Amino acid sequence: MKTALVCGAGGFIGGHLVKKLKAQGYWVRGVDLKRHEFAESPADEFVVGDLRDPRLVAQVIDRKFDEVYQLAADMGGAGFVFTGENDAAIMHNSALINLNVLEELRHKGVGKVFYSSSACIYPEYNQLDPSKPVTAEDSAYPAMPDSEYGWEKLFSERLYFAYHRNYGMDVRVARFHNIFGIEGTWEGGREKAPAAMCRKVAEAPEGGVIEVWGPGTQTRSFLYVDECLEAIERFMRSDYIGPLNIGSEEMISINDLARMTIEISGKNLSIRNVPGPTGVQGRNSDNTRIREKLGWAPHRPLREGMERTYAWVAEQVAKKQKAKEAIAQ
Ligand code: NAD
Ligand code: GDD
């Protein structure tokens, strides 16, 4: 039986990954600061602990795992990473996790280790025009990410590659481009645009208005979590160590994402653009390399994922509303 350690198992992508690995017959240990908010983890062992603490890291990496997935990070959407208010914590917390995990893996050995970097490492100067963002993997340098979150990811990517070069560690470094789906953060300030749009639309009264940050002309692409997991699996099976974009090439403006969500809901709502943290003006995944290296690339339409996500978020909104009403009675 193959063994896997999932760091960040209580989070969005980590939670989905644990389910998939268990369905494939792995023995899985999950570790996170917290248990999963929306689903009981099927992990064989789930350790609630802090990966910034090297003693906890030595405890959870107590053997040579076949596969380690390092997804733990202090992260969130534009409202968390682009305000500047969380910069020190993001850099400190996420860098410590990666430093600790890699050093322990060096001592205990590992089959393969997967690291989730981000599209946020790409230079701002290539993402100023919403219609023509550049995100080919080799465009990362000269580096100029627009956030400290992006700089930490770039540092940590380099750390994984250094452990590969100096200690022969078998690494896989992916750059995720805005992954979304069910059982992800949808409120509280760390939610990303797809979940935020779903929440705002679900909460709005018929005929109401939803607020969208920025001019709404800024572009992104969004990848549904199932295809992200498929890409991770194909990447882990390949001989390529990365860096590799894992994202969708279906670029859309944020106002169009809002319109799509409204259409899915069947409600009659309008959009008001308001000031807010926007990040880069344009971003889309360049999938040339993933096609070349894996002979495959994500291809499912955004609308399909948004329909599933809207249904799930609307359910959460309704549950919360019911709970509030019960307290008020
Ligand atoms: P998430 O926030 O849902 O999951 C990250 C998990 O890490 C959280 O459950 C959190 O509690 C845990 N964590 C944070 N600090 C920890 C610590 N000190 N010790 C133990 N656990 C800790 O985020 P996600 O969307 O599932 O993202 C997973 C990974 O992918 C992250 O590294 C993120 O930076 C990266 N990524 C995600 C996206 C995306 O769009 N979701 C895009 C680019 C990169
Ligand atoms: N979160 C959010 N909430 N974003 C909104 C909202 C809202 O209510 N309204 C408009 N937006 C806009 C943001 O201003 C931004 O321009 C765009 O939607 C996308 O925002 P997010 O989905 O929050 O983040 P991002 O794409 O800029 O960056 C995310 O993806 C990266 C990888 O591609 C973040 O999660 C990063 O941490 C991640 O690395």
Side-chain angles (χ1 to χ4, degrees), residues 75-79 81-82 117-120 149 153 176-179 189-194 196-197 199-200 211-214 218-222 254 257 276-280 283:
M75 93 83 109
V81 295
F82 303 140
S117 178
S118 168
C120 287
Y149 168 81
K153 287 289 189 192
F176 289 163
H177 288 244
N178 214 318
I179 314 302
R190 289 189 187 232
E191 65 281 6
K192 290 174 282 107
M197 293 308 140
R199 186 196 70 237
K200 288 177 179 184
E211 291 192 341
V212 173
W213 301 341
Q218 68 271 37
T219 54
R220 292 291 186 276
S221 71
F222 304 97
I254 298 301
L257 177 74
T278 57
V280 293
R283 177 171 291 149

Side-chain angles (χ1 to χ4, degrees), residues 184-237:
T185 306
W186 60 279
E187 62 170 354
R190 289 189 187 232
E191 65 281 6
K192 290 174 282 107
M197 293 308 140
C198 291
R199 186 196 70 237
K200 288 177 179 184
V201 169
E203 286 176 345
E206 183 61 40
V209 179
I210 65 157
E211 291 192 341
V212 173
W213 301 341
T217 49
Q218 68 271 37
T219 54
R220 292 291 186 276
S221 71
F222 304 97
L223 182 68
Y224 195 70
V225 63
D226 289 358
E227 276 204 307
C228 172
L229 295 188
E230 186 172 353
I232 295 173
E233 185 181 353
R234 287 172 183 266
F235 188 19
M236 286 293 270
R237 284 199 193 139

